[in-house]
Amino acid sequence: MSKLRVSCFSISLDGYGAGPGQDEQNPLGRNGAELHGWFLTTRPFQSMHGPSAQGTTGLDDDFARRGAENLGAWIMGRNMFGPVRGPWPDERWRGWWGENPPYHVPVFVLTHHARRPLEMEGGTTFHFVTGGIEEALGRARQAAGSADIRVGGGAATIRQYLRAGLIDELHLAVSPVLLGSGESLLGGLDLRALGYRVTEHVASPAATHVLLQRGPAT
Amino acid sequence: MSKLRVSCFSISLDGYGAGPGQDEQNPLGRNGAELHGWFLTTRPFQSMHGPSAQGTTGLDDDFARRGAENLGAWIMGRNMFGPVRGPWPDERWRGWWGENPPYHVPVFVLTHHARRPLEMEGGTTFHFVTGGIEEALGRARQAAGSADIRVGGGAATIRQYLRAGLIDELHLAVSPVLLGSGESLLGGLDLRALGYRVTEHVASPAATHVLLQRGPAT
């Protein structure tokens, strides 16, 4: 059955999914890039940016690969799509990823400001959804069919879906760094009460990987 | 040189050092015992409660052993000493640990309510300090000489010492469990700005161990 998944979401030891001060120069916020050390060396990441035989193998790579498997649609918050805030001044911002983004499926971008769909190379089309998380999920389910849907981020978007009890599975990579401030992923959220349990826990030198799955709330 | 250390402090994946609802029946708060799975099987723990040849060896055991080495004094918050709140009604509460507590050195208990020192078997004496964290540290330094001082907990006590920039080294064991609520160890504390860096990161099936050390603030 199609699952709503978060995969490969990196957080710091102190729980932040991005650093403070996100802008066009710092899409991950200040020091936020430190969260992603484990991912940058993997084959799935390397193959987005060149010949696919590059990159490490092993635990980090396995998780990166699992994260990319069986996806029929993505959902992301507007800040993950770009640094533009408020109404779209024009259609010039086309995402962080160039003309051939690494999604290759429909991507539903949550925003308060309507915009025409944006068809990119390689199968990625960005759809701008103004009706909230349930509307985005409904449209993503239609697009994905029996494949899974991945909520990319950022933290605020994932928190909305978690609060609504909609996420089936959450893979976090806890990186051994301190950010000190930024966007907290889990602060104030009672995942235990929402029915989540840790079902996998394994570490590489670069990150501790944990899988949370949702069962009946207790 | 004598260090002020936190060792073997267990937190959940969502950052809690104890569960909610601490009382005499639940000294670690609701579900808080789940944090300590990695520790309960180690030789240092087993040897507190019976013949010392019991217990696992390996990574968890190594960290438990390091945590117990070279200690000349302990500091703890009053809630770690016991469930009594407010003025001491009498001297009947003598700690959670029976007549021979597993410290064997002077232990300085932070409290707002004066009480006479309590000498136990095996070298442990509980001293009740009403002058705050600096006074407790000063007295612990005198008692410890060149040995280290360990801040046992709870989270609120450790946070006070972290905020004051007094802790040299912090070993955390992140257990693969969700508590959902309770006492957050790092929430709202900017350890990066306080000068802490991750200097070790390694995991067993039962916990991810991280060592944070303090350098110059950046």
Side-chain angles (χ1 to χ4, degrees):
Chain A
M1 214 193 78
S2 171
K3 283 189 287 197
L4 185 64
R5 284 164 34 193
V6 173
S7 303
C8 302
F9 193 81
S10 304
I11 60 173
S12 63
L13 198 58
D14 42 0
Y16 297 105
Q22 277 186 296
D23 60 23
E24 190 166 349
Q25 277 65 53
N26 291 289
L28 307 168
R30 213 155 47 244
N31 307 312
E34 295 177 19
L35 298 177
H36 301 279
W38 72 273
F39 183 60
L40 302 183
T41 58
T42 62
R43 288 189 181 210
F45 181 82
Q46 294 282 328
S47 69
M48 287 176 204
H49 299 88
S52 69
Q54 305 283 320
T56 55
T57 54
L59 200 56
D60 296 325
D61 192 66
D62 291 346
F63 275 96
R65 216 154 8 82
R66 282 166 60 175
E69 277 169 6
N70 191 37
L71 294 178
W74 282 69
I75 296 172
M76 63 177 63
R78 185 192 180 164
N79 297 356
M80 184 167 161
F81 176 71
V84 182
R85 304 287 182 268
W88 305 99
D90 51 46
E91 300 202 340
R92 278 189 301 174
W93 182 264
R94 297 167 66 81
W96 301 103
W97 307 275
E99 286 305 302
N100 189 351
Y103 301 105
H104 314 297
V105 291
V107 177
F108 297 88
V109 179
L110 293 160
T111 168
H112 294 294
H113 303 281
R115 179 172 166 177
R116 291 185 305 178
L118 179 59
E119 195 176 334
M120 309 296 287
E121 293 168 20
T124 301
T125 299
F126 294 107
H127 299 275
F128 300 90
V129 180
T130 56
I133 63 169
E134 304 264 4
E135 182 187 322
L137 180 56
R139 293 180 60 187
R141 285 210 195 282
Q142 277 204 309
S146 63
D148 290 346
I149 301 156
R150 182 161 155 187
V151 180
T157 299
I158 295 172
R159 288 170 63 86
Q160 282 188 70
Y161 279 103
L162 284 170
R163 251 199 209 102
L166 292 169
I167 290 184
D168 299 302
E169 190 182 290
L170 185 70
H171 160 228
L172 301 179
V174 186
S175 292
V177 299
L178 294 163
L179 286 188
S181 61
E183 279 200 80
S184 171
L185 180 66
L186 302 182
L189 274 187
D190 189 338
L191 285 198
R192 187 178 180 117
L194 286 164
Y196 292 91
R197 294 290 175 273
V198 180
T199 57
E200 271 185 71
H201 168 254
V202 68
S204 77
T208 298
H209 297 275
V210 289
L211 193 70
L212 311 181
Q213 290 184 300
R214 189 158 179 268
T218 53
Chain B
M1 213 193 79
S2 170
K3 283 189 286 197
L4 185 63
R5 286 164 32 194
V6 173
S7 303
C8 303
F9 194 81
S10 303
I11 59 173
S12 64
L13 199 58
D14 43 358
Y16 298 105
Q22 278 186 295
D23 60 22
E24 190 166 349
Q25 276 64 53
N26 291 288
L28 307 168
R30 212 152 51 242
N31 306 311
E34 295 177 19
L35 297 177
H36 301 280
W38 71 273
F39 183 60
L40 302 183
T41 59
T42 63
R43 286 187 183 211
F45 181 81
Q46 294 282 329
S47 69
M48 287 176 204
H49 299 87
S52 68
Q54 305 283 317
T56 55
T57 55
L59 201 56
D60 295 325
D61 192 66
D62 291 345
F63 275 97
R65 217 156 7 83
R66 282 165 62 176
E69 277 169 7
N70 191 37
L71 293 178
W74 283 68
I75 296 171
M76 63 176 64
R78 186 194 179 163
N79 297 357
M80 184 167 161
F81 175 70
V84 182
R85 303 289 182 267
W88 305 100
D90 51 48
E91 301 201 340
R92 276 189 302 171
W93 181 263
R94 298 167 66 81
W96 301 103
W97 306 276
E99 286 305 302
N100 189 349
Y103 301 105
H104 313 297
V105 291
V107 177
F108 296 88
V109 179
L110 293 160
T111 169
H112 294 294
H113 303 280
R115 179 171 166 178
R116 291 186 304 178
L118 178 59
E119 195 177 335
M120 309 295 287
E121 293 169 19
T124 301
T125 299
F126 294 107
H127 298 276
F128 300 89
V129 180
T130 55
I133 63 169
E134 304 265 6
E135 181 187 321
L137 179 56
R139 291 180 60 186
R141 284 210 197 283
Q142 277 204 309
S146 63
D148 290 346
I149 300 155
R150 182 162 155 185
V151 180
T157 298
I158 295 173
R159 288 170 64 86
Q160 283 189 69
Y161 279 104
L162 284 170
R163 251 199 208 102
L166 292 170
I167 290 184
D168 299 300
E169 191 182 289
L170 185 69
H171 159 230
L172 301 178
V174 186
S175 292
V177 299
L178 294 164
L179 285 190
S181 62
E183 279 201 80
S184 171
L185 180 66
L186 301 181
L189 273 187
D190 189 337
L191 284 199
R192 187 177 179 119
L194 286 164
Y196 293 91
R197 295 289 174 273
V198 179
T199 57
E200 272 186 71
H201 168 254
V202 67
S204 77
T208 297
H209 297 275
V210 289
L211 193 70
L212 311 181
Q213 290 184 300
R214 190 158 179 266
T218 55

